[in-house]
Structures are given as C-alpha cells and as structure tokens.
Amino acid sequence: MRIAILGFGSVGRGIARVILAKNLDILVTGLADSRSGMIDPAGIDIEAALARKEEGAPCGSPDIRPIDVVTGADYDILVEVTPTNVENGGPALNHIQTALQRKKHVVTSNKGPIALAYPELRVLAEENGVTLRYEATVCGAIPLIHAMQEGLAGNTISRLYGVFNGTCNYILTRMAAEGLTYAQALAEARELGYAEADPTYDVEGIDAAIKLVILANTVLDMQTTLDRVDRTGISLLTPEALHLAEEQDCTIRLIGEIVPAAGVLRVSPRIITKTHPLVVEGTLNAVTVETDLAGDLTFIGKGAGSIETASAVIGDILYIRDRYVQGS
Amino acid sequence: MRIAILGFGSVGRGIARVILAKNLDILVTGLADSRSGMIDPAGIDIEAALARKEEGAPCGSPDIRPIDVVTGADYDILVEVTPTNVENGGPALNHIQTALQRKKHVVTSNKGPIALAYPELRVLAEENGVTLRYEATVCGAIPLIHAMQEGLAGNTISRLYGVFNGTCNYILTRMAAEGLTYAQALAEARELGYAEADPTYDVEGIDAAIKLVILANTVLDMQTTLDRVDRTGISLLTPEALHLAEEQDCTIRLIGEIVPAAGVLRVSPRIITKTHPLVVEGTLNAVTVETDLAGDLTFIGKGAGSIETASAVIGDILYIRDRYVQGS
C-alpha cells in the first residue's frame, strides 16, 4: 500500500517512525511539509527524511509544494496531518478535496476541514467511491469515532459529554491538587509543553468546541457550526471555586456536551462528583456516551501527543487497507 | 438482509425487540429455542413469536430443532445466542461450524465456542469466505473487540486488565460501602437478579477467566485455554480486608489481567487505589488496555443485560451487513 504524507511536524514524523518501527509494509511515495516536498513512486527513504528534518534541513526539494504531492504522487491514501486551521480549513481543505476528486482515500488529523466542511467532503468521497477517515481529530488515541460508528451501530445517542481538552484538564487538576491560581497552573502547563504561548485556543474552550462540532456533524447526524456552540472557558475560575467544590467531594472540569435531540452543544466548566468516571487526572481525555441500547459507555485515554495521534492515523490507514486496497 | 436466530432467551428476545423497534430492515427467516423452531423464507412474524414466548407457549413448531434452522433456513447471518456451555461448547459449537461450512456469516454472544475453539472456527470462516464476530462475548455493551481490532490496529498490547464480572463488582462495592459480609452482599445480589442460584461461575472468577481466554485467543495472538488461567475468586474476602484497603484510600476489585509477552493470565482480588479509572461501581465492567502507541486506554460500560448484549450483537450484524452483504 502506498501513502502520501502532508505535514512533517510531530504527527507526520510520529507516523513515519511507526511505519519504520513496525514494518507495516506501507510505501511512502509522497511527502511534503510547508518548506519542501518529495515524490518517488519507488518509495521515499523515510529514515533519511527524518534525519534531515531533525537537523533542521528541508526534508525534500523546495520546488515541490504539498499540492504538487497531492496531484503528482502515486498513492492509495493521502495522509493529511498539516496543522489545523479553523478559520477556513487552510490549504488542507483543498488538499483533501483534490485527493478525493482523484479517487484517493484520505486520512486526516486536521480538525479544520472536518469541522468546517464534512458534509461536502463526505459527498465528494462517496461520489468518487473512496473513504475519508478522521479518527485522530477527536480525543487523539481514543478510538471514539470507530466505537460510535461500528461497535455502537444500531444505538441512538441521547447525550455525549466529556473532557475533550487535556490542557484545561491539566490546569484544573493542578489548581485542585495544589491550590494554584489559574495563572500559576497555566505557567506550569506552558513549561511542560502542555500549553501554547497563546493558550486561547485551549483555555477558552475553542478546541473542545471544534471536537463537538466534528462529532455532531460526523456521527450524530446533526448539521452545525462552531459559532453555534455555547462556550465558556476556564480562565476566570478561581482556586476558591475549586475549593468549594472539593468540600462537597466534587471537582470542576471543562465539560463539552452534546444533546442531539435538543440541539444542545456547549463547553463550560462544570461541577462534577469526584467518583464520576469522567474525573480523570492530568492531560487525559474522557468521554461518556449515553445510548438507548448499550447504556452509558465511558472512554478514557490520551487526547494528544505525537505517537498517540499517529496511533489513530495508523488505525485509519489499516482500516482502509483491510477494506479497500488489499492486494494493491 | 436475512438472519436466523438461535436462542430466544433474554438476549435473543432483546435482539428481536431491537429489530422491531428500530426498523433495521433485517428479515428473520429462522428462529429456534430449546423447545421449538420456525423457518420462513418470507420472514417470521417476530412480534407474534415474542408474544407466544411471553405467554409461555412454544415460539414455533416442536418438530423444528435449532440444527434444522441452521441447515434448512435461508439466511445471510446465523445469530447464535443460546446459553453458554464452557465444558464442550454445547450444541452451539456444532451450530456455528455447520453455518460456517454453509458459507454463512456468524455472530454469537455464546462464550463457549469462542473460548474453546476460536482458532479452528476462524480457519473454517476463512476457508469459506465468511466472517465470525463475537463482540458480545466480552464485556457486553462495551465495544472492546471492535476497538482493539480496528481503532487500535497497529498497536502492540503490552497488558490488559480490568473488571470483567459485574456480579463480583456489585458484591465488592456493597461490602466496601456498607460493611456487609460476603454472604450478605451475595444474598442481596441474588435478590436483585445479579447473581445466579449457584454463584460459582461468577464469584470464583470462572466467567472473568473465560473472557480473558477469549481476548487472549482472538485479539492478543495467544493460544491458551481456561485451565491455564491462574484464578482466585472473591468468596473468602472479609469485610476487614476491605476495611484495611479503605484506610489506605484503596479498595478491592476482582481483576482479570493478561500480560501477553509473559504469558500471564490471572483473575484475582486486587487492592487498587480508589481514584483508578477501573474502580467502577455496581455491576459495571471496566477494562484498561496498555499499548505502545496509544498509551493506556480505559473502557467502562455495562457488561451484561438483555438489551446491552443485544446492542453488541446488533453492532456485529450491521458490521457484517455494511461490508459483506450489502445489496443482498
């Protein structure tokens, strides 16, 4: 099986390392990041590309842009793992559209195109007889979309809620455990690489809201947009509020919630009893799905990280291989 | 799509009710329980069969045995949901073998044949170009096998452990919460229908051990048998032991554990910190999977129940329909 990888940051390199380490019998025939690209029908030397990238050198030729790989390389699956842009989907949206039009399967970890344009992309995939998969866009390593599409097929989801952002969960865990202020806990999260220099995307609940929109549009039969998510972040939370919750054997978590029948999509800090399965520590994610047949199910795992996200992408690649490109 | 259902106890009737309630476009062309059977290529009136069963009448003709349905009915998928027999697999093993030989897909909730004969059944399915699915055999409504086979494809599982038996979990929860003795908690579980008249199968860890054997043989590339599981039940646990654990912010749970590389399979009461995601209340099941790429994942949900088990069976039926019998 042949894949082309767009994006050679932490996720793209994670995928490359897993392919090498596991002998997955996957040939990488195209590769590009924002600076350079490579196309080789016989298979790119991934180990050498990783080494160049680590030295700070371009991984390929500066003349080859990502879109050239999409249109010019020979591959079964386009693996779109460039950084998320939720304003307009960025170039990733065009990459994915172009690949689907070329009748190529697509696997992506890029939240932008899936949050903004899933209905159109799904139609495009169907028209071209190919598959679009995006497990890595929601809760990293947790196979939530697989579980909902397959294991829970036949169930009606009445409510879905959980901890969708590891950065906020880390900050709240530390505020509760050590009595830190929001600013102190955020500074600690930055030092450990859990928060960006500009933390707005995480702490104001935007990242969680995007994941809700993706779940709503892809597995909950809703048609919604980011501006319709009722959203409150954690930046105004005080240690006193957490202390009050603790006194009642509760704590506070940033909870994203969807109630499909009521059209509810919201992200907000919520008081929750400490014994609830959603009360996970550190940067973990946790999601509870309420169903009519299977009852309540909770999934807990790592929501971010290079190798964890690569795990979800690899799962999607193997899913497509086992169904659609076997023997190729 | 046409299915034949063997077994019309709580699981079989749960499946029939879901098919009716959800308009799943599934035709039931064969149906049998231990007393009677029906075959109708045009589709059996499921509602009437449910009504007869509830009145205590035979659901079909006493002359039609389950094996007659397997060999004589026209179906795409055999749904084998007769009671588990772990001594020799019981008639279910023969039903499944015969259906696979007839090139019919099989979905089962019956632990016996899967625990005893999975390698042979898989070969038989492959030789006949059909699929055998068994999600309902482990942890009821939790789509654990789906998650491990698909979402976590590409991962190596280094360890898997969890609460596999709801009856034991209920007893231990009540002993810890109320200071009940084992005998008192068991009596309560019996009253609520969570424990059988003879509780040995649950409280001695046999049920949990069978689930470990199924996971080992089906998704962990091991080849093992029930007698190789190191097994201790909960019947000798005292309230004092639980009290001592509580003093350390811990509790005791019956934990099933597999370490594939070391060949470890064991079921035993273990002391576990109360904040661990596996510490679930009541009859819930919970499983943690340790992987090389995705990190640790925990799945929590209902491990038993008529509709919950039906949910897993329906998930498998739809899985097969979407892949192999579409358009039929």
PDB file of all heavy atoms in Angstrom, chain A residues 181-199:
ATOM      1  N   THR A 181      -3.312  29.205  41.534  1.00  0.00           N
ATOM      2  CA  THR A 181      -4.223  30.061  40.768  1.00  0.00           C
ATOM      3  C   THR A 181      -4.210  29.586  39.320  1.00  0.00           C
ATOM      4  O   THR A 181      -3.321  28.833  38.898  1.00  0.00           O
ATOM      5  CB  THR A 181      -3.778  31.531  40.781  1.00  0.00           C
ATOM      6  OG1 THR A 181      -2.513  31.614  40.101  1.00  0.00           O
ATOM      7  CG2 THR A 181      -3.637  32.062  42.200  1.00  0.00           C
ATOM      8  N   TYR A 182      -5.200  30.072  38.562  1.00  0.00           N
ATOM      9  CA  TYR A 182      -5.254  29.755  37.139  1.00  0.00           C
ATOM     10  C   TYR A 182      -3.944  30.134  36.460  1.00  0.00           C
ATOM     11  O   TYR A 182      -3.380  29.341  35.689  1.00  0.00           O
ATOM     12  CB  TYR A 182      -6.436  30.488  36.492  1.00  0.00           C
ATOM     13  CG  TYR A 182      -6.387  30.493  35.003  1.00  0.00           C
ATOM     14  CD1 TYR A 182      -6.696  29.345  34.276  1.00  0.00           C
ATOM     15  CD2 TYR A 182      -6.002  31.647  34.315  1.00  0.00           C
ATOM     16  CE1 TYR A 182      -6.627  29.343  32.897  1.00  0.00           C
ATOM     17  CE2 TYR A 182      -5.931  31.651  32.933  1.00  0.00           C
ATOM     18  CZ  TYR A 182      -6.241  30.504  32.225  1.00  0.00           C
ATOM     19  OH  TYR A 182      -6.159  30.507  30.862  1.00  0.00           O
ATOM     20  N   ALA A 183      -3.432  31.351  36.769  1.00  0.00           N
ATOM     21  CA  ALA A 183      -2.211  31.841  36.109  1.00  0.00           C
ATOM     22  C   ALA A 183      -1.008  30.958  36.445  1.00  0.00           C
ATOM     23  O   ALA A 183      -0.182  30.646  35.573  1.00  0.00           O
ATOM     24  CB  ALA A 183      -1.938  33.292  36.509  1.00  0.00           C
ATOM     25  N   GLN A 184      -0.931  30.532  37.702  1.00  0.00           N
ATOM     26  CA  GLN A 184       0.187  29.656  38.102  1.00  0.00           C
ATOM     27  C   GLN A 184       0.122  28.305  37.384  1.00  0.00           C
ATOM     28  O   GLN A 184       1.121  27.797  36.881  1.00  0.00           O
ATOM     29  CB  GLN A 184       0.161  29.429  39.612  1.00  0.00           C
ATOM     30  CG  GLN A 184       0.563  30.654  40.430  1.00  0.00           C
ATOM     31  CD  GLN A 184       0.244  30.483  41.919  1.00  0.00           C
ATOM     32  OE1 GLN A 184      -0.742  29.825  42.281  1.00  0.00           O
ATOM     33  NE2 GLN A 184       1.066  31.088  42.777  1.00  0.00           N
ATOM     34  N   ALA A 185      -1.080  27.738  37.362  1.00  0.00           N
ATOM     35  CA  ALA A 185      -1.235  26.421  36.728  1.00  0.00           C
ATOM     36  C   ALA A 185      -0.969  26.513  35.226  1.00  0.00           C
ATOM     37  O   ALA A 185      -0.364  25.610  34.638  1.00  0.00           O
ATOM     38  CB  ALA A 185      -2.634  25.870  36.988  1.00  0.00           C
ATOM     39  N   LEU A 186      -1.403  27.619  34.611  1.00  0.00           N
ATOM     40  CA  LEU A 186      -1.152  27.812  33.184  1.00  0.00           C
ATOM     41  C   LEU A 186       0.349  27.921  32.912  1.00  0.00           C
ATOM     42  O   LEU A 186       0.867  27.319  31.961  1.00  0.00           O
ATOM     43  CB  LEU A 186      -1.883  29.065  32.686  1.00  0.00           C
ATOM     44  CG  LEU A 186      -1.582  29.497  31.246  1.00  0.00           C
ATOM     45  CD1 LEU A 186      -1.957  28.394  30.252  1.00  0.00           C
ATOM     46  CD2 LEU A 186      -2.334  30.791  30.905  1.00  0.00           C
ATOM     47  N   ALA A 187       1.051  28.673  33.777  1.00  0.00           N
ATOM     48  CA  ALA A 187       2.502  28.831  33.600  1.00  0.00           C
ATOM     49  C   ALA A 187       3.190  27.466  33.678  1.00  0.00           C
ATOM     50  O   ALA A 187       4.084  27.142  32.880  1.00  0.00           O
ATOM     51  CB  ALA A 187       3.056  29.775  34.662  1.00  0.00           C
ATOM     52  N   GLU A 188       2.730  26.634  34.613  1.00  0.00           N
ATOM     53  CA  GLU A 188       3.300  25.290  34.754  1.00  0.00           C
ATOM     54  C   GLU A 188       3.018  24.466  33.498  1.00  0.00           C
ATOM     55  O   GLU A 188       3.904  23.759  32.998  1.00  0.00           O
ATOM     56  CB  GLU A 188       2.665  24.637  35.985  1.00  0.00           C
ATOM     57  CG  GLU A 188       3.395  23.424  36.480  1.00  0.00           C
ATOM     58  CD  GLU A 188       2.669  22.794  37.670  1.00  0.00           C
ATOM     59  OE1 GLU A 188       2.950  23.183  38.811  1.00  0.00           O
ATOM     60  OE2 GLU A 188       1.817  21.903  37.441  1.00  0.00           O
ATOM     61  N   ALA A 189       1.778  24.550  32.995  1.00  0.00           N
ATOM     62  CA  ALA A 189       1.412  23.800  31.786  1.00  0.00           C
ATOM     63  C   ALA A 189       2.273  24.237  30.597  1.00  0.00           C
ATOM     64  O   ALA A 189       2.691  23.415  29.776  1.00  0.00           O
ATOM     65  CB  ALA A 189      -0.076  23.994  31.468  1.00  0.00           C
ATOM     66  N   ARG A 190       2.562  25.534  30.520  1.00  0.00           N
ATOM     67  CA  ARG A 190       3.428  26.038  29.435  1.00  0.00           C
ATOM     68  C   ARG A 190       4.829  25.461  29.549  1.00  0.00           C
ATOM     69  O   ARG A 190       5.409  25.026  28.561  1.00  0.00           O
ATOM     70  CB  ARG A 190       3.521  27.568  29.519  1.00  0.00           C
ATOM     71  CG  ARG A 190       2.430  28.282  28.803  1.00  0.00           C
ATOM     72  CD  ARG A 190       2.944  29.644  28.343  1.00  0.00           C
ATOM     73  NE  ARG A 190       1.825  30.456  27.872  1.00  0.00           N
ATOM     74  CZ  ARG A 190       1.268  31.429  28.581  1.00  0.00           C
ATOM     75  NH1 ARG A 190       1.702  31.744  29.786  1.00  0.00           N
ATOM     76  NH2 ARG A 190       0.261  32.109  28.049  1.00  0.00           N
ATOM     77  N   GLU A 191       5.357  25.472  30.777  1.00  0.00           N
ATOM     78  CA  GLU A 191       6.709  24.958  30.998  1.00  0.00           C
ATOM     79  C   GLU A 191       6.832  23.501  30.556  1.00  0.00           C
ATOM     80  O   GLU A 191       7.854  23.086  30.033  1.00  0.00           O
ATOM     81  CB  GLU A 191       7.050  25.033  32.482  1.00  0.00           C
ATOM     82  CG  GLU A 191       8.081  26.092  32.821  1.00  0.00           C
ATOM     83  CD  GLU A 191       8.158  26.265  34.331  1.00  0.00           C
ATOM     84  OE1 GLU A 191       8.484  25.270  35.011  1.00  0.00           O
ATOM     85  OE2 GLU A 191       7.860  27.384  34.821  1.00  0.00           O
ATOM     86  N   LEU A 192       5.768  22.741  30.788  1.00  0.00           N
ATOM     87  CA  LEU A 192       5.797  21.310  30.462  1.00  0.00           C
ATOM     88  C   LEU A 192       5.408  21.042  29.013  1.00  0.00           C
ATOM     89  O   LEU A 192       5.351  19.896  28.579  1.00  0.00           O
ATOM     90  CB  LEU A 192       4.838  20.558  31.392  1.00  0.00           C
ATOM     91  CG  LEU A 192       5.277  20.523  32.860  1.00  0.00           C
ATOM     92  CD1 LEU A 192       4.134  20.092  33.760  1.00  0.00           C
ATOM     93  CD2 LEU A 192       6.461  19.574  33.029  1.00  0.00           C
ATOM     94  N   GLY A 193       5.130  22.120  28.266  1.00  0.00           N
ATOM     95  CA  GLY A 193       4.779  21.941  26.851  1.00  0.00           C
ATOM     96  C   GLY A 193       3.338  21.523  26.630  1.00  0.00           C
ATOM     97  O   GLY A 193       2.956  21.130  25.538  1.00  0.00           O
ATOM     98  N   TYR A 194       2.495  21.614  27.659  1.00  0.00           N
ATOM     99  CA  TYR A 194       1.083  21.241  27.505  1.00  0.00           C
ATOM    100  C   TYR A 194       0.234  22.415  26.997  1.00  0.00           C
ATOM    101  O   TYR A 194      -0.894  22.217  26.580  1.00  0.00           O
ATOM    102  CB  TYR A 194       0.477  20.774  28.839  1.00  0.00           C
ATOM    103  CG  TYR A 194       1.115  19.535  29.419  1.00  0.00           C
ATOM    104  CD1 TYR A 194       1.078  19.304  30.785  1.00  0.00           C
ATOM    105  CD2 TYR A 194       1.736  18.601  28.608  1.00  0.00           C
ATOM    106  CE1 TYR A 194       1.651  18.174  31.334  1.00  0.00           C
ATOM    107  CE2 TYR A 194       2.313  17.468  29.146  1.00  0.00           C
ATOM    108  CZ  TYR A 194       2.273  17.258  30.513  1.00  0.00           C
ATOM    109  OH  TYR A 194       2.835  16.144  31.058  1.00  0.00           O
ATOM    110  N   ALA A 195       0.773  23.650  27.118  1.00  0.00           N
ATOM    111  CA  ALA A 195       0.012  24.823  26.657  1.00  0.00           C
ATOM    112  C   ALA A 195       0.875  25.630  25.692  1.00  0.00           C
ATOM    113  O   ALA A 195       2.099  25.697  25.836  1.00  0.00           O
ATOM    114  CB  ALA A 195      -0.413  25.676  27.841  1.00  0.00           C
ATOM    115  N   GLU A 196       0.227  26.220  24.702  1.00  0.00           N
ATOM    116  CA  GLU A 196       0.913  27.063  23.726  1.00  0.00           C
ATOM    117  C   GLU A 196       1.230  28.430  24.352  1.00  0.00           C
ATOM    118  O   GLU A 196       0.676  28.790  25.390  1.00  0.00           O
ATOM    119  CB  GLU A 196       0.005  27.308  22.520  1.00  0.00           C
ATOM    120  CG  GLU A 196      -0.571  26.082  21.885  1.00  0.00           C
ATOM    121  CD  GLU A 196       0.459  25.301  21.089  1.00  0.00           C
ATOM    122  OE1 GLU A 196       1.382  25.940  20.541  1.00  0.00           O
ATOM    123  OE2 GLU A 196       0.350  24.072  21.032  1.00  0.00           O
ATOM    124  N   ALA A 197       2.106  29.203  23.671  1.00  0.00           N
ATOM    125  CA  ALA A 197       2.406  30.567  24.105  1.00  0.00           C
ATOM    126  C   ALA A 197       1.092  31.360  24.181  1.00  0.00           C
ATOM    127  O   ALA A 197       0.825  32.064  25.151  1.00  0.00           O
ATOM    128  CB  ALA A 197       3.376  31.218  23.129  1.00  0.00           C
ATOM    129  N   ASP A 198       0.246  31.223  23.146  1.00  0.00           N
ATOM    130  CA  ASP A 198      -1.103  31.802  23.206  1.00  0.00           C
ATOM    131  C   ASP A 198      -2.078  30.671  23.529  1.00  0.00           C
ATOM    132  O   ASP A 198      -2.394  29.851  22.672  1.00  0.00           O
ATOM    133  CB  ASP A 198      -1.470  32.433  21.862  1.00  0.00           C
ATOM    134  CG  ASP A 198      -2.930  32.907  21.864  1.00  0.00           C
ATOM    135  OD1 ASP A 198      -3.595  32.815  22.925  1.00  0.00           O
ATOM    136  OD2 ASP A 198      -3.398  33.358  20.811  1.00  0.00           O
ATOM    137  N   PRO A 199      -2.544  30.618  24.775  1.00  0.00           N
ATOM    138  CA  PRO A 199      -3.343  29.453  25.190  1.00  0.00           C
ATOM    139  C   PRO A 199      -4.827  29.567  24.853  1.00  0.00           C
ATOM    140  O   PRO A 199      -5.597  28.673  25.192  1.00  0.00           O
ATOM    141  CB  PRO A 199      -3.150  29.438  26.707  1.00  0.00           C
ATOM    142  CG  PRO A 199      -3.026  30.890  27.066  1.00  0.00           C
ATOM    143  CD  PRO A 199      -2.355  31.577  25.883  1.00  0.00           C
TER     144      PRO A 199
END
